[in-house]
Amino acid sequence: MKAWMLDQPGKPLVLRDEPTPQPRRGAVLVKMEAVPLLSYTRAYIEGKLPYAYPPSPFSPGTNGVGRIAAVGEGVFGLRPGQRVVVHPYWVADEAVAEPEQILIGLTGISAASAPVLADFPHGTLREFAELPASTVLALDGMDDVPSARLAALAKFSVPFGGLRRGRLAAGETVAVNGATGYFGSAAVIAALALGARRVVALGRRAEPLSKLAELGRGRVVPVVLTGDGARDVAAIRKAAGGGADLAFDMVGQAQEPNATLAALRSLRRNGRLVLMGSMNVDLPIAYGEMLLNNWELIGHFMYSRADYLALVSLAASGLLPLDAVELTTYPFALLEEAIDNAGAAQGLQCTIAGALGERAWG
């Protein structure tokens, strides 16, 4: 089979022939059709990120859509020929207080996750990917949806998990900070699918916020942040009709805490703030302010299996409009061009490698 291999972080990716694996017990073999690319794929390949890389050489790639080619022993709910979506968040299935966890094809997470990375080092940028069955979900009844479109589920998975962790309920108002970003824009659409009465979309740029407002059809209210804390809080609370029930923070690489604090202070009494971004500075929280407002602060990472099942169900029902994402597709053989495109993507844009059948590998 063909596979993109990274011999060592910092070296170029190489497309070469590799042995086609056979699925082990508890694993499945997936013929990959479409793989969404992270915006920071180039920096990752060049070894510029403080990640725990899988042992080299390995195939990177996190999410994807494909069909099951074979199943290993001990796999009972999946079958060959089944169309599936795969994701990288693998938590060891052990009855311990803090099981080891990794992001397959990307990085280790827990302190002692190196052996887990070594067990499944390869991601989805290969013709056939062997993956734990617990990271594969069936897409039954969605054969009419193109693989590239289904691959956009990855864009929604992370914010969807955070919104559910924040207990967003139908009829509530949520303020999304970082709404013009890769995951933040998807959070706006996901919140609508979950039944939010109103989504206050926060960001620095007016144009992408206005596009989200158009998609929201009256349920999305844009607020352009100024950096003036008091002014921004007032604007968010007004847009939220007096205050938000939930604030969701998805700002990447934030260099100052003002926008996050504005989102926090826009909450009604008993409101919740979910943190899923990647702020590079401390978040100064006033103890008394938290206490008097009965606010809840939630740090959250990724999603649960139940979250992803719910996400697929929403997409299958049409309640989650995957066509809101603007797709750009490349054959697997043109991965380098796809990586460059992914690095320039903004908002609801998404770059997909593959999705062209047998021609995808050139």
Side-chain angles (χ1 to χ4, degrees):
M1 69 169 188
K2 297 290 185 182
W4 282 102
M5 301 295 292
L6 186 62
D7 291 321
Q8 183 179 326
K11 291 187 176 181
L13 281 168
V14 179
L15 179 62
R16 60 173 176 248
D17 291 323
E18 291 284 323
T20 302
Q22 293 301 311
R24 290 164 279 173
R25 182 174 181 84
V28 299
L29 187 68
V30 179
K31 182 173 178 58
M32 300 308 305
E33 296 177 352
V35 175
L37 298 177
L38 297 166
S39 61
Y40 52 83
T41 300
R42 179 67 67 197
Y44 175 79
I45 290 168
E46 293 177 351
K48 295 179 179 179
L49 301 179
Y51 284 9
Y53 286 76
S56 301
F58 72 97
S59 292
T62 51
N63 299 269
V65 169
R67 288 190 183 273
I68 295 180
V71 301
E73 294 181 359
V75 176
F76 306 106
L78 299 168
R79 63 184 185 277
Q82 198 169 26
R83 203 173 191 203
V84 293
V85 59
V86 306
H87 68 85
Y89 187 34
W90 185 31
V91 180
D93 189 14
E94 297 172 337
V96 296
E98 297 184 28
E100 304 300 337
Q101 49 189 293
I102 66 170
L103 294 177
I104 296 174
L106 190 69
T107 184
I109 300 169
S110 53
S113 60
V116 188
L117 274 177
D119 206 27
F120 280 93
H122 300 298
T124 52
L125 286 171
R126 48 181 29 218
E127 198 169 356
F128 291 91
E130 185 202 13
L131 300 160
S134 61
T135 65
V136 177
L137 294 92
L139 293 172
D140 297 341
M142 302 182 73
D143 282 345
D144 59 328
V145 184
S147 295
R149 182 62 61 194
L150 289 169
L153 282 165
K155 189 177 180 69
F156 293 96
S157 60
V158 175
F160 190 80
L163 291 170
R164 284 186 31 122
R165 175 70 188 282
R167 307 187 303 280
L168 176 61
E172 287 191 322
T173 294
V174 56
V176 175
N177 188 32
T180 60
Y182 181 86
F183 286 124
S185 58
V188 173
I189 306 302
L192 294 174
L194 285 168
R197 173 177 175 269
R198 184 180 303 176
V199 180
V200 182
L202 313 179
R204 305 284 186 182
R205 296 174 291 138
E207 183 178 353
L209 288 176
S210 65
K211 291 181 179 179
L212 289 170
E214 291 176 12
L215 290 171
R217 299 181 179 180
R219 292 166 62 199
V220 175
V221 183
V223 172
V224 178
L225 298 174
T226 66
D228 181 322
R231 181 178 176 183
D232 288 341
V233 170
I236 299 168
R237 293 185 68 85
K238 180 179 179 181
D245 302 291
L246 174 69
F248 181 76
D249 189 271
M250 199 82 215
V251 179
Q253 304 298 312
Q255 301 300 315
E256 49 83 15
N258 295 338
T260 303
L261 290 173
L264 173 66
R265 289 170 177 147
S266 74
L267 292 174
R268 301 177 186 271
R269 181 171 174 79
N270 301 312
R272 297 96 63 197
L273 169 63
V274 176
L275 301 177
M276 288 199 79
S278 52
M279 188 181 294
N280 290 324
V281 296
D282 291 339
L283 182 64
I285 299 293
Y287 191 105
E289 189 177 20
M290 294 290 298
L291 185 70
L292 292 174
N293 286 286
N294 210 34
W295 286 333
E296 184 177 351
L297 187 63
I298 305 168
H300 186 67
F301 185 76
M302 301 303 285
Y303 42 79
S304 69
R305 294 181 191 176
D307 292 334
Y308 218 121
L309 284 168
L311 179 67
V312 170
S313 293
L314 277 180
S317 71
L319 292 173
L320 181 74
L322 295 177
D323 57 1
V325 179
E326 179 185 336
L327 301 179
T328 304
T329 60
Y330 291 82
F332 281 120
L334 298 181
L335 181 62
E336 289 289 344
E337 293 180 31
I339 291 172
D340 289 337
N341 186 270
Q346 298 180 358
L348 285 171
Q349 296 174 337
C350 187
T351 303
I352 308 292
L356 298 173
E358 296 298 327
R359 295 181 292 116
W361 289 97

